[in-house]
């Protein structure tokens, strides 16, 4: 009898096209929950904090692909460089340079996505489209050995407004289509629990789903001391 999480993963995978990759977003979830997903066949997990991801990597089977999906501080890249499978959230040239440096040190070429700002909200991280093309056309990127850019990531506005979401995903899909062949892109990472069906309809090749698989996240209470 498969466990409840394994069943949810199976049901979700049956809903999505086989060429779309499911990243199980396991941030804040304990090891035993991740193990249940693993037992259900899931091998790709997404985390948003380097320390938490490193701890889970150390404790869980080594054939898991660990994806960093959250904002990364450059001084912490070294902790994930030995094992991270994909960094979704490259939102500055400075960060890309540090990933390249740490990739070289570890004799690795670390796959990266450039995070494009598509949401209307102020606080979301990401590059503008012209920043993306400036990075892609730079001499630095032409000579990178420790990192490689394999596509784009975007986070839509947190809203139920389907028209707004469609506008944001479509604009990113068009941009991705323009870059795909010249830059040999393979991956467009868009879509979360609330919006993945629409994201897939609008070109996503990789969805990042957390709460729809694992339930709502509980964050530790802030200390009042
Ligand atoms: C937390 C998170 C997700 C998953 O969100 P859900 O709504 O729980 O599916 C996806 N992408 C990023 C970047 C996240 O931080």
């Amino acid at each position: 009898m498969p466990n409840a999480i394994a069943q949810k993963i199976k049901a979700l995978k049956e809903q999505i096209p086989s060429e779309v990759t499911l990243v199980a977003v396991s941030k804040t979830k304990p090891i035993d929950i991740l193990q249940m997903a693993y037992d259900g066949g899931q091998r790709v997990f997404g985390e948003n904090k380097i320390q938490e991801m490193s701890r889970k990597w150390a404790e869980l089977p080594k054939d898991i692909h660990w994806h960093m999906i959250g904002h990364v501080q450059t001084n912490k890249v070294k902790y994930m460089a030995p094992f991270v499978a994909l960094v979704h959230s490259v939102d500055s040239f400075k960060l890309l340079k540090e990933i390249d440096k740490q990739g070289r040190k570890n004799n690795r070429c670390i796959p990266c996505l450039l995070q494009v700002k598509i949401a209307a909200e102020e606080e979301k991280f990401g590059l503008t489209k012209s920043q993306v093309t400036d990075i892609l056309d730079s001499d630095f990127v032409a000579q990178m050995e420790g990192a490689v850019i394999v596509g784009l990531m975007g986070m839509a506005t947190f809203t139920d407004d389907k028209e707004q979401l469609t506008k944001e995903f479509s604009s990113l899909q068009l941009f991705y289509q323009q870059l795909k062949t010249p830059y040999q892109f393979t991956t467009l990472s868009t879509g979360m629990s609330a919006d993945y069906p629409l994201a897939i309809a609008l070109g996503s090749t990789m969805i990042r789903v957390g709460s729809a698989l694992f339930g709502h996240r509980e964050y530790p209470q802030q200390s009042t001391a």
Side-chain angles (χ1 to χ4, degrees):
M1 182 67 187
N3 68 64
I5 290 181
Q7 282 174 344
K8 281 195 180 158
I9 286 171
K10 185 166 174 277
L12 197 140
K13 282 197 168 153
E14 279 167 3
Q15 275 177 40
I16 65 176
S18 58
E19 63 276 12
V20 172
T21 303
L22 168 63
V23 180
V25 176
S26 50
K27 60 191 187 196
T28 79
K29 296 296 169 187
I31 294 284
D32 57 326
I33 298 287
L34 278 75
Q35 183 69 51
M36 285 169 84
Y38 182 90
D39 293 342
Q42 184 63 24
R43 291 295 180 271
V44 186
F45 291 85
E47 292 281 336
N48 69 341
K49 295 210 162 63
I50 290 178
Q51 208 177 356
E52 183 178 341
M53 184 169 77
S54 302
R55 185 174 52 75
K56 289 172 172 174
W57 165 70
E59 288 184 40
L60 283 159
K62 290 297 169 283
D63 60 343
I64 290 176
H65 297 257
W66 294 98
H67 288 198
M68 174 44 61
I69 62 170
H71 180 65
V72 175
Q73 286 172 289
T74 47
N75 62 351
K76 293 194 178 149
V77 172
K78 55 179 178 283
Y79 302 115
M80 67 172 175
F83 69 91
V84 69
L86 181 64
V87 183
H88 290 231
S89 42
V90 176
D91 57 7
S92 71
F93 215 146
K94 186 173 158 224
L95 176 59
L96 183 64
K97 286 179 177 166
E98 180 63 16
I99 295 172
D100 177 58
K101 182 177 152 194
Q102 297 299 334
R104 286 172 195 251
K105 273 195 186 168
N106 286 276
N107 271 313
R108 296 191 60 210
C109 184
I110 300 172
C112 294
L113 305 177
L114 296 178
Q115 182 172 351
V116 188
K117 188 175 156 47
I118 54 171
E121 294 142 324
E122 249 333 300
E123 72 274 18
K124 296 244 158 95
F125 291 104
L127 300 157
T128 64
K129 289 176 185 167
S130 71
Q131 286 172 325
V132 167
T133 47
D134 285 351
I135 290 175
L136 290 172
D137 293 334
S138 65
D139 293 337
F140 179 82
V141 165
Q143 285 163 25
M144 273 195 319
E145 285 176 4
V148 59
I149 300 166
V150 299
L152 304 176
M153 183 271 236
M155 270 177 96
T157 303
F158 187 73
T159 176
D160 292 336
D161 181 349
K162 204 170 166 194
E163 211 174 303
Q164 173 79 14
L165 292 172
T166 301
K167 208 173 79 186
E168 294 175 2
F169 286 138
S170 304
S171 141
L172 186 60
Q173 180 185 29
L174 183 66
F175 190 45
Y176 178 77
Q177 287 303 337
Q178 287 163 354
L179 302 177
K180 190 177 178 221
T181 304
Y183 298 100
Q184 294 174 292
F185 281 177
T186 58
T187 306
L188 176 58
S189 166
T190 53
M192 314 190 355
S193 293
D195 57 20
Y196 71 84
L198 184 62
I200 291 172
L202 296 169
S204 174
T205 70
M206 186 174 278
I207 58 173
R208 310 176 307 267
V209 179
S211 45
L213 297 174
F214 298 118
H216 288 292
R217 285 177 290 276
E218 283 173 39
Y219 290 95
Q221 259 183 324
Q222 294 286 315
S223 164
T224 48

